[in-house]
Every structure is written in structure tokens, then in C-alpha cells.
């Protein structure tokens, strides 16, 4: 059963969702995804009723993981052990909230930036530990961290404020969803919701015309927050941002001689677009707007794309078919070169920097395992990197949550 329809009990809605999914899935499984544009009826966004927990992970996914860990099955048991041995799972953690988190470029200054991101990841880690173990100490610690921040924080400032808000704002609702809907006691859940609505959502909902990973991370936060708040208007706005940004972040040859520009970007000449694409003037399937910057920032963007699509699928509005062709090409292209294939001179002058990081599990599971798309390079890299840990920004434990997860 698809997670987006679990518990709805609405036969007509379920049948319609299945019909819509069927229309999109056929071309995607054949190796080509549906085009970026689609019929207005199909492209309607926010669900009539939100599914909880439903940000990045659903209850059926969590149940699958718990069963695998309890059975000692790999790679989940190894991934669980890795998570539990991390600083983020510590029951002695003390939150470090600030009223104003000030983050400049390249974390200079860094007044609460690392503390906030890591406390948010810790809350998510502890919520996963709670669900898998059913040990209430982990849930209580997650609540303690979330309460500490919701009692104090008022703003994010300086040049990296939008990105910082996006990173922390991506992790918070994952934790909050699990705790609110699977744990018995969170008296300050309403205050936490107010924090997300007043402090985080205004900073991320309007997007950014900076590098694409900024807007994608901000959109991921906006989607997750909208689910927790059950805010259909914000959800729809975030989905619209996503649909405009993904085609402007990942190039496919069907786009023509130049990549697409994001709505509102103001990029309307060839020179402007090439400059925005880090000076790259030769385009190929799967190239990212930040490939020639470095693979790490590219990984941030691809991860956020996968996370947004995963959340939308849980919510019964599957965005994967719309972006599957771009995402599979992007994951495959970058995985190929990270695995050691010689970089041609036509690509970033023959040299690529850094690595994608622990970001391939969610997209690989969705595209390869659920949709049946062949992804040899991505599979090799994903399995080589297991168990995928945390990038200490907004990615955490995705081998545990998404490796071969059918739900």
C-alpha cells in the first residue's frame, strides 16, 4: 500500500491517486520521466488531509526499519548502531538555544549556527531512536531539545540566515512529526509550531535567487514545516518553488542548448546563464548548476530535491515522476565521476572537487527500487558508502531510514 493513502479510508480519492500515479509511472519506469509541465488537475498540490508522521519518513517506513533492526538485518542494523553511537543520540545532550542565531558566509560569524543545526539533527536522531526502541527516554530528550529552542529563538540574521534557517528548518519538522504523532506527551507542541510558523517559515517560504542549493534547502524546510502546521497555502507555494527550481538546477538535453532559468531569477541571456552555471558552457544530461563549483554543494541540492519528493509522496502527491529523469541523470553523472571515471575536459575543465556526501539513499531507493529505473553508478556509490551517516547540516541516517525501504 502506498504511504500517501494509508489511513485515509477515501476510496474515491485512493482510486484517483492510483490512476494519476499510473499515468505518470509508465514513462518513468521506461527510463523517461513525465515532462516538467502537466495537466492542471494532476498538478494540484496540497493534500486534503495531511499524513502524519509525514516529513521524509512515514509510519510504515519507520515500522519497516524497526522490524529490520530488531531482526539484526543489514544494512539497517549497522546503520542503527552507527546512529546510536553518534553524539546526536546522547541522552546527556544539553541544548544550546539562542534568541538570535547569527550566521555569516562560510560560518563567519558563527553565533549559534552549529549549535542550532546539531540540536535539530539530535532531535531527529532521538526521535528515530525512540521509535525503533520504544524507550521513552529518547522521546523525552527530543522533546527537551525542541522545547528549549521554541522557548528562546526569535530570529536568524546575517548573510547566511536563509540557508541556516533552511538547514535547521529541514530537521526540526522531521523530529516534531515523529514525536507528536507517535509519543504520548508533548505539552509544548503548540509552542514549537508557533516557532516554526513565526521564526522559520517567513525566512524560507519566498525562496532565494542565490545558488540553487539555497532555494532547494529552503523549500525543503518550507514543505516540512507546512506539513507539520497543516498549512495548505504554504505547502502549495513551496511546491510551486520546487517545480520552478528543479529544472533550473539539473539540466537534461530536452531543455535545449541552455539550461532553464528559475522563475524570478532575472537570468535572460546566454552569458548570464553560463556565469550562473559556474562558467560551464557544455551541457549534458544530469549536469547541476553547481557541479563545477564542487560536488558537496551539488549534493546538498540533490539531497533536498530527494527529500522534498519523498515528503510529497508520503502526502499522496507524488512529485517523483515529474523530476525522475533529471534526478536519475544527476545522481548517475556525479556518482560516475566520484567513483573514479576520468573527467573529460569539456566538464569543468577536466576536474571535479570534493564528494557528494551521504545523500544518495533517498533518491536511489525511490527511483531504482520503487520505480524500476536502472541506476548502476548510483547503486555502486550508494552501497559503497553504507551506512550513510550525517553531513552535520541537514542530512542524517538515510541508510537506516531509506535503504531498500518499500513503503
Amino acid at each position: 500500500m502506498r504511504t500517501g493513502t494509508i489511513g485515509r479510508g477515501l476510496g474515491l480519492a485512493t482510486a484517483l491517486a492510483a490512476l494519476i500515479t499510473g499515468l505518470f509511472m509508465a514513462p518513468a519506469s521506461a527510463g523517461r520521466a513525465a515532462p516538467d509541465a502537466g495537466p492542471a488537475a494532476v498538478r494540484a498540490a496540497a493534500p486534503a488531509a495531511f499524513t502524519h508522521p509525514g516529513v521524509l519518513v512515514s509510519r510504515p517506513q519507520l515500522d519497516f526499519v524497526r522490524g529490520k533492526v530488531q531482526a539484526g538485518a543489514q544494512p539497517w542494523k549497522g546503520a542503527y548502531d552507527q546512529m546510536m553511537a553518534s553524539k546526536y543520540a546522547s541522552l546527556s545532550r544539553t541544548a544550546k538555544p539562542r534568541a538570535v542565531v547569527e550566521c555569516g558566509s562560510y560560518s563567519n560569524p558563527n553565533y549559534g549556527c552549529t549549535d542550532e543545526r546539531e540540536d535539530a539533527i539530535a532531535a531527529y536522531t532521538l526521535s528515530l531512536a525512540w521509535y525503533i526502541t520504544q524507550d521513552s527516554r529518547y522521546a523525552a530528550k527530543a522533546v527537551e531539545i525542541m522545547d528549549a529552542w521554541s522557548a528562546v529563538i526569535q530570529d536568524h540574521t546575517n548573510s547566511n540566515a536563509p540557508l541556516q534557517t533552511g538547514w535547521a528548518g529541514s530537521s526540526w519538522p522531521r523530529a516534531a512529526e515523529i514525536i507528536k504523532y507517535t509519543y504520548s506527551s508533548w505539552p509544548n507542541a503548540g509552542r514549537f509550531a508557533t516557532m516554526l510558523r513565526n521564526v522559520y517559515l517567513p525566512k524560507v517560504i519566498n525562496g532565494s535567487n542565490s545558488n540553487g542549493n539555497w532555494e532547494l534547502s529552503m523549500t525543503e524546510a518550507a514543505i516540512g514545516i507546512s506539513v507539520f502546521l497543516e498549512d495548505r497555502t504554504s505547502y502549495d507555494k513551496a511546491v510551486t518553488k520546487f517545480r520552478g527550481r528543479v529544472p533550473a538546477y539539473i539540466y537534461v538535453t530536452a531543455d535545449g542548448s541552455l539550461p532553464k532559468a528559475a522563475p524570478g531569477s532575472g537570468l535572460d541571456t546566454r552569458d548570464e546563464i553560463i556565469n550562473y552555471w559556474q562558467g560551464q558552457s557544455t551541457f549534458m544530461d544530469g549536469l547541476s548548476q553547481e557541479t563545477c563549483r564542487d560536488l558537496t554543494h551539488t549534493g546538498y541540492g540533490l539531497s533536498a530535491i530527494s527529500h522534498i519528493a519523498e515528503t510529497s509522496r508520503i502526502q499522496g502527491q507524488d512529485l517523483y515522476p515529474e523530476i525522475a529523469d533529471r534526478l536519475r541523470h544527476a545522481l548517475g553523472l556525479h556518482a560516475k565521476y566520484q567513483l573514479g571515471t576520468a573527467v573529460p575536459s569539456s566538464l569543468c575543465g577536466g576536474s571535479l572537487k570534493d564528494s557528494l556526501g551521504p545523500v544518495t539513499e533517498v533518491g536511489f531507493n525511490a527511483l531504482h527500487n520503487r520505480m524500476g529505473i536502472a541506476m548502476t553508478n548510483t547503486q555502486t556509490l550508494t552501497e559503497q558508502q553504507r551506512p550513510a551517516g550525517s553531513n552535520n547540516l541537514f542530512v542524517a541516517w538515510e541508510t537506516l531510514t531509506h535503504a531498500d525501504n518499500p513503503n
Side-chain angles (χ1 to χ4, degrees):
M1 182 178 289
R2 297 181 61 80
T3 54
T5 59
I6 288 175
R8 301 282 176 84
L10 300 175
L12 180 59
T14 302
L16 179 59
L19 175 61
I20 291 171
T21 301
L23 289 170
F24 277 109
M25 288 286 277
S29 61
R32 296 296 297 182
D36 298 315
V42 174
R43 291 169 64 82
F50 286 94
T51 298
H52 304 290
V55 176
L56 188 59
V57 289
S58 65
R59 189 185 291 267
Q61 287 175 317
L62 291 167
D63 287 339
F64 171 83
V65 171
R66 183 164 64 188
K68 291 296 186 181
V69 171
Q70 289 175 342
Q74 300 296 354
W76 304 276
K77 181 57 165 62
Y80 168 78
D81 290 343
Q82 174 198 42
M83 180 184 81
M84 297 304 287
S86 76
K87 62 184 178 182
Y88 298 116
S90 173
L91 288 170
S92 62
R93 185 180 191 89
T94 300
K96 299 178 181 178
R98 281 176 176 259
V100 177
V101 174
E102 182 178 355
C103 307
S105 298
Y106 299 98
S107 298
N108 184 23
N110 180 343
Y111 298 136
C113 315
T114 301
D115 291 339
E116 180 189 29
R117 294 193 304 265
E118 294 194 349
D119 277 348
I121 291 173
Y124 175 53
T125 301
L126 291 157
S127 72
L128 291 173
W130 143 249
Y131 198 89
I132 293 169
T133 66
Q134 294 296 289
D135 183 336
S136 62
R137 293 178 301 164
Y138 294 108
K141 178 57 73 169
V143 167
E144 178 187 309
I145 292 170
M146 291 189 286
D147 282 355
W149 278 91
S150 68
V152 172
I153 190 167
Q154 298 174 13
D155 199 8
H156 298 86
T157 63
N158 215 317
S159 57
N160 265 26
L163 183 60
Q164 172 73 16
T165 310
W167 282 341
S170 293
S171 297
W172 286 130
R174 295 177 206 158
E177 281 281 301
I178 294 172
I179 295 299
K180 182 175 180 179
Y181 292 98
T182 73
Y183 182 57
S184 59
S185 179
W186 188 12
N188 290 317
R191 189 178 74 194
F192 190 83
T194 299
M195 175 193 81
L196 292 180
R197 180 176 298 282
N198 294 343
V199 179
Y200 289 80
L201 190 58
K203 279 281 197 300
V204 298
I205 192 63
N206 293 316
S208 164
N209 288 321
S210 184
N211 281 303
N213 82 87
W214 277 50
E215 184 156 86
L216 289 163
S217 288
M218 293 164 68
T219 302
E220 179 185 347
I223 288 274
I225 291 168
S226 297
V227 170
F228 186 70
L229 298 178
E230 297 195 328
D231 184 335
R232 300 182 80 251
T233 300
S234 294
Y235 184 98
D236 286 346
K237 186 170 183 177
V239 168
T240 298
K241 284 286 181 188
F242 178 77
R243 285 177 160 145
R245 175 55 79 170
V246 175
Y249 194 70
I250 301 171
Y251 174 85
V252 290
T253 53
D255 294 338
S257 61
L258 286 173
K260 296 186 176 185
S265 68
L267 303 176
D268 53 15
T269 70
R270 176 181 175 83
D271 287 347
E272 288 173 343
I273 291 173
I274 289 174
N275 181 63
Y276 185 60
W277 282 65
Q278 319 297 323
Q280 178 72 6
S281 58
T282 301
F283 303 99
M284 61 209 70
D285 281 328
L287 184 74
S288 158
Q289 180 255 318
E290 296 186 272
T291 301
C292 296
R293 181 185 185 186
D294 59 64
L295 296 192
T296 301
H297 285 89
T298 299
Y300 298 164
L302 300 185
S303 179
I305 290 169
S306 300
H307 293 168
I308 294 163
E310 191 73 2
T311 294
S312 79
R313 187 188 63 86
I314 293 167
Q315 296 305 324
Q317 180 217 18
D318 196 347
L319 295 172
Y320 276 119
E322 296 180 28
I323 55 96
D325 203 43
R326 293 182 190 275
L327 185 57
R328 77 173 179 96
H329 278 304
L331 289 171
L333 178 76
H334 297 90
K336 177 175 70 173
Y337 293 118
Q338 186 169 325
L339 289 167
T341 297
V343 182
S345 59
S346 59
L347 176 60
C348 310
S351 177
L352 294 174
K353 294 190 296 184
D354 302 334
S355 63
L356 289 174
V359 304
T360 61
E361 290 277 14
V362 176
F364 173 71
N365 186 53
L367 302 183
H368 177 71
N369 295 331
R370 295 198 196 109
M371 297 176 70
I373 299 172
M375 300 176 71
T376 304
N377 290 318
T378 306
Q379 180 169 359
T380 299
L381 181 62
T382 300
E383 293 175 352
Q384 198 177 92
Q385 293 188 150
R386 286 177 176 169
S390 176
N391 69 355
N392 305 310
L393 300 173
F394 71 105
V395 177
W397 324 125
E398 293 180 356
T399 295
L400 177 65
T401 56
H402 288 83
D404 301 328
N405 197 321
N407 297 294

